[in-house]
Structures are given as structure tokens and as C-alpha cells.
Amino acid sequence: MAAKPDYKKYGFIPQRQKGLLLMRLRNCAGNASAEDLRKIAALAEKFGSGEVHFTVRQGVEIPGVPEERFEEALQAILDAGLQHAVCGLRVRPVMVCPGNSTCPYGLVDTNSLGKLLDKDYVGKDLPAKTKFTVCGCANACTKPQGHDVGFRGAAEPLLKKESCIRCGACVKRCPAKAMSLESGELVIDYQKCLSCGVCVRLCPKKALQTGREGYHIYVGGKGGRYTQEGKIVAEFIAEKEVPKYLDAILAVYEDIGEKGQRLNAVMSRYGLRNFQKRMEKKLGDQ
């Protein structure tokens, strides 16, 4: 009897109904054109049940694909100019929020980073399934703290004292309560500050300006049955620097992670500081 294909490598998942597959497609940075949607509908009608399910991680599932049509369906995805998803012990498709392209709170160009991650990392074999997400601000809509590696846009506020009129607008509106007026002077508690950019946007005299900006990088988050919150391992990393940090993180993971062991388990076993030391050494070796 011939061995079955590695369905998961191409984003096909056996359904609970024997002989049927879920066909998973991936988009790039959470986006799809109207033409892409028409092609997806055609695939669902030709190979599946005619239904389409949108997953919580922005993927697309077409249920009801007969196993014997796997190769035909896979080729149809490629012929349509679409991308199949990937499953199994590898980097999964990236989840991305709109960022500063449309969202009023967005601080960074999440689409740009999402496309880079999609191109260079999705499908990479690792000790276990590994999920990335990108979000544009501290609202964390795509839950960077709950993924194996999460990237959150951040912008540090800096005060130009000579321009500040001590109106208190930033004190009232700061989500983290990191602003205060003490002896008539504005004080920023950077231990509380979320680097969300709210105070910079609303300051009437532009006394608050953006200092460092980029991505905070979280490692070791996990959702599901047993949740764990990821920890920040680097702050205000520019997009062009993200790949070297991510390469260092994944290199450590490949060195010390056991097969089937998610990054959260590696972090729990070795500890945040030990992991960071290993990561810093990898960065130094690049």
C-alpha cells in the first residue's frame, strides 16, 4: 500500500470524516484582493463542499476535499496564483494587523514586516509548530504575547520641556497612567509607559515627540489549552533589524528545543535570562 502524501506540509488537514481533507490557504499579511476571493470561491465549489471558513489566524479553510483529489487541488491552488498554507513542525502563516496603513492607532508598517516574514520564514522546519504575529501598537489586536514570536509596534515619547504648557491632556488620556504633573512639571514613568503613541498624537503643543520606535519582540507565548504569556526579549527594533533578531531566536530554539517542544516549553525549561544570553551570543556571532 502506497504511503500517503505529507498533507500537512502543503496545508491540507485530514477531517474527522474519513477520506476528506481541509484545504488551507494562506494570504500575505492578512490581505486578499477581490480577485483572490473569487478564486477561493471557485476552488471551494470545484474541490470542496462549496463552503469557506476563515480561521482566527486569518487563514482560509475549504472543507470537504476528497483525499484522491489532493494533488489536483494543490496544483489548482498554484495555477490560481494563490498560496497553500503549511502545517506540522514548521513556521505557520503569519498573522498581521493593518498597522499604520489604515488604523488610527498604528505606529508601524506591519504589512511590510508581514510580507518579509511570509517570504523568508513561513514553512521553515523547526522542532515544533511555530506561530508569528505582527501588530502595530499596544492594543495588541493580533496578540503578540500569545504567540511563539510576536512583534508589537512601539514609539517612545520624549518631552520637549520648553514647549510643554502643563495642560494635563496627556495625563488624563494616558492608558497606562504613566504621565503625571509633579511640582508643575510633566513626568513620564517609563516603567509604566506602553509606548503606544497616544500622548504624542494628542499633545496640543507638540511638546511630546517620538523618540525610539520600532518593534518590541515577544518570545514564548502560547494560547490553547495551556496558555503562557510571552516575554519581551528586545525593544524598539527597526524593521530592517528584525531578521537578525529572529534568526538568533530561531537558532537558539533549534539548538536546545526538542522535537515537538514549543518555544514556551523551552523558555520555561531554560528561563528568560538564559535564553536571552544564548540569543545575544547568536547576535554577536552574526
Side-chain angles (χ1 to χ4, degrees), residues 80-129:
L82 300 174
Q83 292 180 294
H84 61 77
V86 293
C87 301
L89 309 184
R90 47 188 62 91
V91 177
R92 303 296 182 84
V94 185
M95 187 176 176
V96 184
C97 84
N100 63 12
S101 62
T102 57
C103 178
Y105 298 103
L107 300 170
V108 289
D109 185 354
T110 54
N111 282 280
S112 178
L113 180 58
K115 290 174 182 177
L116 183 153
L117 298 176
D118 182 271
K119 175 178 176 290
D120 293 343
Y121 293 93
V122 171
K124 177 180 171 63
D125 292 324
L126 288 171
K129 66 180 178 181

Side-chain angles (χ1 to χ4, degrees), residues 32-42 54 60 82:
S33 68
E35 181 59 27
D36 288 340
L37 295 175
R38 284 188 283 269
K39 291 175 180 178
I40 290 167
F54 294 93
V60 175
L82 300 174

Side-chain angles (χ1 to χ4, degrees), residues 20-208:
L20 295 179
L21 301 170
L22 287 167
M23 178 167 68
R24 287 182 174 177
L25 306 175
R26 85 180 196 247
N27 53 51
C28 187
N31 300 313
S33 68
E35 181 59 27
D36 288 340
L37 295 175
R38 284 188 283 269
K39 291 175 180 178
I40 290 167
L43 289 172
E45 291 173 341
K46 183 173 181 178
F47 295 101
S49 64
E51 296 181 346
V52 176
H53 172 69
F54 294 93
T55 74
V56 295
R57 297 196 71 253
Q58 301 176 332
V60 175
E61 283 185 350
I62 295 174
V65 179
E67 282 191 68
E68 61 270 18
R69 301 194 71 186
F70 161 69
E71 292 186 1
E72 183 188 359
L74 177 59
Q75 188 59 51
I77 293 171
L78 302 177
D79 291 344
L82 300 174
Q83 292 180 294
H84 61 77
V86 293
C87 301
L89 309 184
R90 47 188 62 91
V91 177
R92 303 296 182 84
V94 185
M95 187 176 176
V96 184
C97 84
N100 63 12
S101 62
T102 57
C103 178
Y105 298 103
L107 300 170
V108 289
D109 185 354
T110 54
N111 282 280
S112 178
L113 180 58
K115 290 174 182 177
L116 183 153
L117 298 176
D118 182 271
K119 175 178 176 290
D120 293 343
Y121 293 93
V122 171
K124 177 180 171 63
D125 292 324
L126 288 171
K129 66 180 178 181
T130 303
K131 298 177 180 180
F132 299 163
T133 188
V134 183
C135 74
C137 73
N139 286 341
C141 295
T142 58
K143 301 178 177 60
Q145 303 94 330
H147 281 68
D148 296 278
V149 185
F151 303 91
R152 172 172 78 78
E156 184 179 50
L158 294 180
L159 175 63
K160 293 173 60 179
K161 287 187 177 181
E162 65 275 15
S163 301
C164 180
I165 59 173
R166 292 88 175 171
C167 67
C170 56
V171 176
K172 294 175 183 177
R173 292 287 301 278
C174 176
K177 306 300 180 187
M179 303 280 189
S180 61
L181 286 171
E182 299 179 12
S183 302
E185 297 292 330
L186 180 65
V187 176
I188 304 173
D189 184 344
Y190 286 103
Q191 294 300 312
K192 291 181 179 179
C193 179
L194 298 173
S195 300
C196 65
V198 169
C199 60
V200 174
R201 284 198 305 274
L202 63 81
C203 181
K205 296 297 182 179
K206 306 301 180 185
L208 288 162

Side-chain angles (χ1 to χ4, degrees), residues 205-235:
K205 296 297 182 179
K206 306 301 180 185
L208 288 162
Q209 301 287 317
T210 298
R212 294 181 297 169
E213 59 185 332
Y215 287 96
H216 287 359
I217 303 178
Y218 295 80
V219 175
K222 183 180 178 296
R225 197 175 278 121
Y226 304 105
T227 62
Q228 182 166 313
E229 187 168 294
K231 306 300 182 184
I232 293 178
V233 297
E235 295 183 320

